[in-house]
Amino acid sequence: MKRVVVTGLGAVTPIGNNVQEFWNSLINGVSGAAPITRFDTTQFKTKFACEVKNFDASPIFEKNEIRKYDLFTQYALYATDEAVKNANIDFDSLNKNRIGVIWGCGDGGISTFEEQIGEYKLGNGTPRFSPFFIPKRIVNIASGVISIKYGLRGINYTTAAACSASNTAIIDAFNYIRWGKADMMITGGSEASVTESSIGGFNASKALSTLNNDYSKASRPFDSTRDGFVLGEGAGVVILESYEHAIKRNAVILAEIVGGGLAADAYHLTGTHPEGEGAVLGMELALEEAGISPDQIDYINAHATSTPTGDLSELKAVEKVFGINPNANISATKSMTGHLLGGAGAIEAIACIKAVQENIIPPTINTQEAEPEFADKFNLTLGKAQSREVNYAMSNTFGFGGHVASSIFKKFTE
């Protein structure tokens, strides 16, 4: 098996439109929640979200190009541009047949779908659809467009594993490289789901917070009064390549990925297993693959969306795998970014990689009274960032349908 290293990062998030802005906001505990600007929320139970702010796609798109892409694809291309530059990649000097793209996304072009169906209805059933309607809305288009932009002919597909989609994509990319089937992969995920149907649908299932009068504190993972997640959007990109390939092109290595565990709850359509059975399996598989024991993990970026049942089941799973008072700090960065659905694992992988690089644990903000059963068992990094040596960091993601993905990043050493 080949070693797989991280050589580039890119991000578009509700708290920063590049990696450095994103990381600075994380360690300073900045909330990305604000009133929704995309549509009139008068009739909606939830009137806020973590939208991307001041996004300008023009630096990487021609004017006539932007109309071809839904916002989730624009986010993907923008973040990829940053990651490619960060990794200092000259694709023309590399074998493009062995460089691929594996992307994660849950909803795809949902705003495009809403817009086009709305126009169809207004036209009294006259089928006047845009020629870009289908390619703008299909969930796999971002991976295709990234490969087209850079001429990459290697492995290319999109994982649709709900909220674990981009973590699953990262693990798949890791596997293809370590198996020797690719030299480099662009991986991560994106989502642009702050739309009427998303807010309305999640409201109907009682998944979203309705703390409209204090929205900046609505995402409060592990808090005994939490009432649902805050919807977010954006993209995260991780450039992975084999150690040999990175050394050969004199790349700066940011971290190493050493384990990935994929599993299922096999329990419920939308809810996690109450005892965290799938989460336990995913974490154990990742640890086994990394060849380390639980006490070697220094940081766990929890899935922790701020839902009443989900957070509790994850804490139960962590206790089963790591025991009481484990070595690891735990934090929930969704308290700041909201929940990016299929894009969540990508930006949370970046948070883990930066924690390994900088030896800083980003905080869990807004949580005032942690779940009584677990308040004294874990270091939930409440309120402010904590400095400590971080050699191994784990990222957990779970999705509707019971999907589980856990990945482990390691401080790079020769």
Side-chain angles (χ1 to χ4, degrees):
M1 294 289 186
K2 293 180 179 291
R3 291 176 69 184
V4 182
V5 296
V6 179
T7 56
L9 302 173
V12 176
T13 78
I15 56 174
N17 293 343
N18 59 59
V19 170
Q20 196 56 54
E21 286 181 4
F22 168 56
W23 178 243
N24 289 343
S25 294
L26 280 185
I27 61 176
N28 286 296
V30 175
S31 170
I36 291 170
T37 64
R38 302 273 169 76
F39 58 90
D40 182 0
T41 61
T42 302
Q43 301 298 320
F44 289 81
K45 294 177 183 177
T46 296
K47 305 177 188 303
F48 60 94
C50 288
E51 294 177 326
V52 169
K53 301 155 188 73
N54 305 313
F55 178 69
D56 178 13
S58 62
I60 66 164
F61 293 108
E62 298 293 334
K63 270 189 178 179
N64 64 341
E65 268 193 308
I66 294 180
R67 68 192 182 99
K68 298 178 184 178
Y69 306 126
D70 186 89
L71 199 53
F72 91 98
T73 302
Q74 292 181 38
Y75 290 158
L77 288 168
Y78 194 95
T80 299
D81 182 74
E82 181 190 7
V84 169
K85 290 173 180 173
N86 178 237
N88 194 28
I89 300 171
D90 174 13
F91 285 113
D92 290 335
S93 67
L94 304 175
N95 182 354
K96 296 181 184 180
N97 294 339
R98 291 185 57 80
I99 303 174
V101 184
I102 302 180
W103 204 248
C105 187
D107 279 340
I110 189 167
S111 62
T112 294
F113 186 80
E114 287 184 18
E115 175 190 304
Q116 290 281 281
I117 295 301
E119 289 182 8
Y120 172 64
K121 290 294 186 182
L122 287 173
N124 296 315
T126 303
R128 293 174 180 168
F129 290 92
S130 164
F132 299 113
F133 174 41
I134 301 301
K136 281 179 75 172
R137 74 165 175 81
I138 54 178
V139 74
N140 67 299
I141 201 65
S143 63
V145 170
I146 292 168
S147 70
I148 291 166
K149 178 174 181 178
Y150 298 105
L152 309 177
R153 295 181 291 271
I155 298 155
N156 190 288
Y157 63 87
T158 292
T159 60
C163 303
S164 66
S166 52
N167 204 6
T168 300
I170 290 168
I171 292 168
D172 281 1
F174 161 62
N175 282 331
Y176 279 116
I177 295 171
R178 72 191 189 110
W179 293 335
K181 295 182 178 293
D183 295 328
M184 176 188 289
M185 298 295 295
I186 295 174
T187 187
S190 61
E191 207 78 88
S193 296
V194 183
T195 71
E196 292 164 282
S197 63
S198 290
I199 295 292
F202 282 124
N203 271 157
S205 63
K206 297 180 169 34
L208 291 182
S209 171
T210 56
L211 197 68
N212 295 302
N213 62 342
D214 201 6
Y215 51 79
S216 66
K217 297 179 181 177
S219 184
R220 47 196 194 280
F222 313 126
D223 195 286
S224 57
T225 67
R226 65 192 181 278
D227 71 330
F229 74 84
V230 178
L231 190 60
E233 62 173 359
V237 180
V238 179
I239 305 288
L240 300 181
E241 53 188 306
S242 70
Y243 171 73
E244 294 86 355
H245 191 266
I247 293 298
K248 186 176 180 180
R249 70 177 192 87
N250 296 313
V252 175
I253 295 174
L254 308 178
E256 185 171 356
I257 179 169
V258 292
L262 298 173
D265 267 333
Y267 171 72
H268 189 269
L269 194 66
T270 58
T272 52
H273 192 283
E275 300 302 318
E277 287 189 3
V280 169
L281 181 57
M283 288 186 281
E284 287 180 340
L285 289 170
L287 288 164
E288 180 182 348
E289 193 163 82
I292 61 174
S293 58
D295 64 354
Q296 288 179 269
I297 295 290
D298 301 297
Y299 172 46
I300 301 170
N301 186 295
H303 181 66
T305 62
S306 189
T307 59
T309 57
D311 291 10
L312 188 58
S313 68
E314 185 173 9
L315 290 175
K316 289 179 179 179
V318 169
E319 182 177 8
K320 288 177 182 177
V321 176
F322 292 90
I324 298 172
N325 297 318
N327 172 59
N329 278 65
I330 301 168
S331 77
T333 50
K334 288 185 182 74
S335 59
M336 295 170 275
T337 66
H339 188 4
L340 270 65
L341 307 180
I347 64 167
E348 288 158 13
I350 293 171
C352 286
I353 292 161
K354 292 298 291 183
V356 165
Q357 278 189 293
E358 307 288 342
N359 292 314
I360 300 175
I361 308 293
T364 305
I365 68 168
N366 300 328
T367 301
Q368 299 300 312
E369 293 186 21
E371 277 286 346
E373 182 183 348
F374 293 97
D376 297 325
K377 292 181 179 179
F378 301 135
N379 180 354
L380 299 175
T381 323
L382 301 180
K384 63 181 182 178
Q386 182 176 326
S387 296
R388 63 164 290 174
E389 183 75 15
V390 184
N391 291 307
Y392 290 94
M394 172 181 281
S395 175
N396 284 339
T397 51
F398 316 127
F400 281 6
H403 305 294
V404 170
S406 293
S407 53
I408 299 175
F409 299 89
K410 175 183 179 290
K411 192 182 295 294
F412 174 72
T413 54
E414 295 289 347

